[in-house]
Amino acid sequence: MEKKRIVVTGMGAITPLGNDVNSFWEGLLAGRSGLRRITAFDPTDYQCQVGGEVPDFDPGQHMDPKDAKRNDRYTQFAVAAARMAMTQARLDARDLEDPVRFGCIIGSGIGGLDTIEKQTFRLWESGPRRVSPFMIPMLISNMASGVVAIEFGAMGPNYGIVSACATASHSIGDCLRVLRAGEADVMLAGGSEASITRVGYAGFCNMKAMGTSYNDQPERSSRPFDARRDGFIMGEGAGVLVLETLEHAQARGAEILCEVLGHAATCDAYHITSPDPDGRGLQACMRNALADSGITTDDVDYINAHGTSTPYNDKTESAAIKAVFGERAYQVKISSTKSMTGHLLGAAGGIEAIACIKSITTGRIAPTINYENPDPECDLNYVPNKAIEHPVSIAMSNNLGFGGHNATVIFKAFA
């Protein structure tokens, strides 16, 4: 049976480069870093003192201020991004014939870490009676999806995926499957994260996962594929898409941005934090996504790589791309936009999907900044330092997560 065609009609982004899609995309094309010295807490005693904080975010602009106070920052981000996506899609649930045909899958890798931290301190300092009664719903990782559904009247399939840094890509993939299966006509898909907290940084620093060499030069700290990379830099934000069946989008006269062609998910089954050195899980993931999309490696014009700026991830991903693409690996354009945003963990796949879609719709590819020192194990075309003009018909987005999770999503120009 022929698969239903699924299209994107709206996008919303909250990022370290700006709080809307245009600001985010313009920042990427300019090669501008959104990384700065941390302001959420005093980072003096931390090995990594740099992060991609969302600037000038006012949740009251996107939801009722009273409701905003009862939700964690990660949920506030999700609502804001979802509202932008709904606005661009010109979609109002009240106009839908059946709200049960409108669903939402927005995940988070960690959930309300800021709430956990603040309420734990309150418990220690003031006792159990001072802990907020909203603590549990504020911190659980499904709440972004739940609150977004309440905000927009989405009564269809709804849950929150938690697969670390592959979360948003898995959410998009699951929404693709829900729509193909005929269980809904419209889905909100993506991820949200707000883990720039004292305990979050302490944990990641102590496991030696974060970059520490450029605290005095924050803009240079995230350097995927560069020989001097020494760890990822945490970012925060959200990326949300409106996905619809082609029939539904056309029936209501929606502007179609692109098509979601395929998706795959695999696991390394190797280690809780380190990728399989042979990249077998990621290789299988890319191959399965290509098969699901009905295309070959020759059809892919651009790969938005996971590219975290960690020593192991970048060389493993490069090797996996070579194994799957063969000689084509040296021709396809590749970049890691994490060089400018930092790593948004569970939200990464959301904003990186938007980067892929914008490449398709504009014919421009964002660079990998801070690529200065070639690494012989990372020798592909990473679009170094400056954006390029290049026609993109098909774009692939890779994301990997602790636990060995792999996710690949493929987007295509709509025709």
Side-chain angles (χ1 to χ4, degrees):
M1 186 174 68
E2 188 175 351
K3 294 175 182 176
K4 286 179 179 284
R5 295 180 67 185
I6 309 304
V7 297
V8 178
T9 57
M11 305 183 292
I14 300 291
T15 79
L17 289 171
N19 296 335
D20 57 71
V21 169
N22 287 339
S23 297
F24 167 58
W25 181 238
E26 289 169 3
L28 291 182
L29 291 182
R32 187 172 70 247
S33 175
L35 307 182
R36 302 288 184 271
R37 181 176 171 85
I38 291 295
T39 64
F41 58 89
D42 181 359
T44 301
D45 293 334
Y46 291 77
Q47 294 161 295
C48 177
Q49 301 172 7
V50 178
E53 294 176 305
V54 168
D56 305 319
F57 179 72
D58 179 5
Q61 294 181 352
H62 307 281
M63 60 194 301
D64 183 276
K66 183 178 179 181
D67 290 338
K69 291 180 180 179
R70 295 176 175 178
N71 283 285
D72 188 86
R73 184 171 169 88
Y74 96 94
T75 299
Q76 296 169 357
F77 287 162
V79 171
R83 191 171 301 283
M84 292 175 209
M86 292 283 286
T87 298
Q88 182 180 22
R90 294 184 290 112
L91 190 62
D92 190 324
R94 293 172 295 185
D95 298 331
L96 299 178
E97 185 175 330
D98 182 1
V100 179
R101 304 285 301 170
F102 174 28
C104 175
I105 303 174
I106 297 175
S108 180
I110 296 181
L113 189 59
D114 185 57
T115 292
I116 294 172
E117 182 175 296
K118 287 178 178 176
Q119 295 303 315
T120 299
F121 275 110
R122 183 174 292 184
L123 172 66
W124 289 343
E125 293 171 355
S126 303
R129 293 185 180 274
R130 301 301 299 169
V131 171
S132 170
F134 294 101
M135 184 191 79
I136 299 301
M138 287 174 72
L139 69 86
I140 52 181
S141 296
N142 69 302
M143 195 50 63
S145 203
V147 170
V148 167
I150 292 168
E151 287 282 329
F152 301 106
M155 296 179 64
N158 186 292
Y159 49 90
I161 287 176
V162 181
S163 52
C165 308
T167 293
S169 295
H170 282 149
S171 297
I172 294 167
D174 268 26
C175 286
L176 174 66
R177 291 194 177 103
V178 166
L179 292 165
R180 280 178 175 173
E183 297 172 10
D185 301 316
V186 183
M187 294 292 291
L188 282 162
S192 185
E193 205 78 83
S195 298
I196 298 180
T197 72
R198 289 172 289 182
V199 70
Y201 261 61
F204 278 119
C205 282
N206 290 345
M207 69 183 297
K208 308 299 182 185
M210 300 185 77
T212 61
S213 298
Y214 294 89
N215 286 332
D216 295 332
Q217 298 175 294
E219 296 85 356
R220 300 183 64 202
S221 57
S222 183
R223 41 200 319 107
F225 307 110
D226 184 84
R228 295 189 62 187
R229 67 191 185 275
D230 68 340
F232 82 89
I233 303 297
M234 195 188 301
E236 62 176 1
V240 175
L241 307 179
V242 174
L243 272 54
E244 302 185 51
T245 63
L246 176 60
E247 295 83 359
H248 189 272
Q250 290 179 327
R252 69 181 189 86
E255 178 186 359
I256 294 171
L257 303 176
C258 76
E259 185 171 353
V260 187
L261 206 56
H263 166 261
T266 63
C267 184
D268 287 354
Y270 172 76
H271 189 270
I272 58 172
T273 57
S274 295
D276 180 346
D278 297 326
R280 291 173 297 175
L282 180 56
Q283 290 178 40
C285 195
M286 288 188 282
R287 289 192 177 105
N288 291 348
L290 290 166
D292 186 49
S293 301
I295 61 172
T296 70
T297 55
D298 289 339
D299 298 311
V300 178
D301 302 300
Y302 169 56
I303 300 173
N304 188 290
H306 187 55
T308 57
S309 188
T310 60
Y312 290 114
N313 174 87
D314 294 3
K315 69 177 182 180
T316 297
E317 186 174 12
S318 296
I321 292 171
K322 292 175 195 177
V324 173
F325 282 73
E327 286 303 312
R328 172 76 177 149
Y330 292 90
Q331 301 166 10
V332 67
K333 303 297 187 289
I334 303 167
S335 67
S336 173
T337 46
K338 289 182 178 73
S339 59
M340 294 169 276
T341 65
H343 190 356
L344 272 63
L345 309 182
I351 65 167
E352 289 160 17
I354 292 170
C356 287
I357 295 165
K358 292 296 286 186
S359 287
I360 289 170
T361 59
T362 67
R364 303 184 75 185
I365 295 176
T368 306
I369 68 168
N370 299 319
Y371 186 74
E372 300 166 342
N373 309 282
D375 181 340
E377 294 186 282
C378 299
D379 58 349
L380 301 178
N381 184 355
Y382 304 115
V383 188
N385 301 312
K386 290 187 178 181
I388 61 171
E389 292 188 8
H390 186 79
V392 177
S393 177
I394 295 179
M396 171 185 283
S397 177
N398 286 334
N399 275 287
L400 291 62
F402 284 177
H405 307 298
N406 303 298
T408 298
V409 185
I410 297 177
F411 302 91
K412 182 179 184 293
F414 177 71

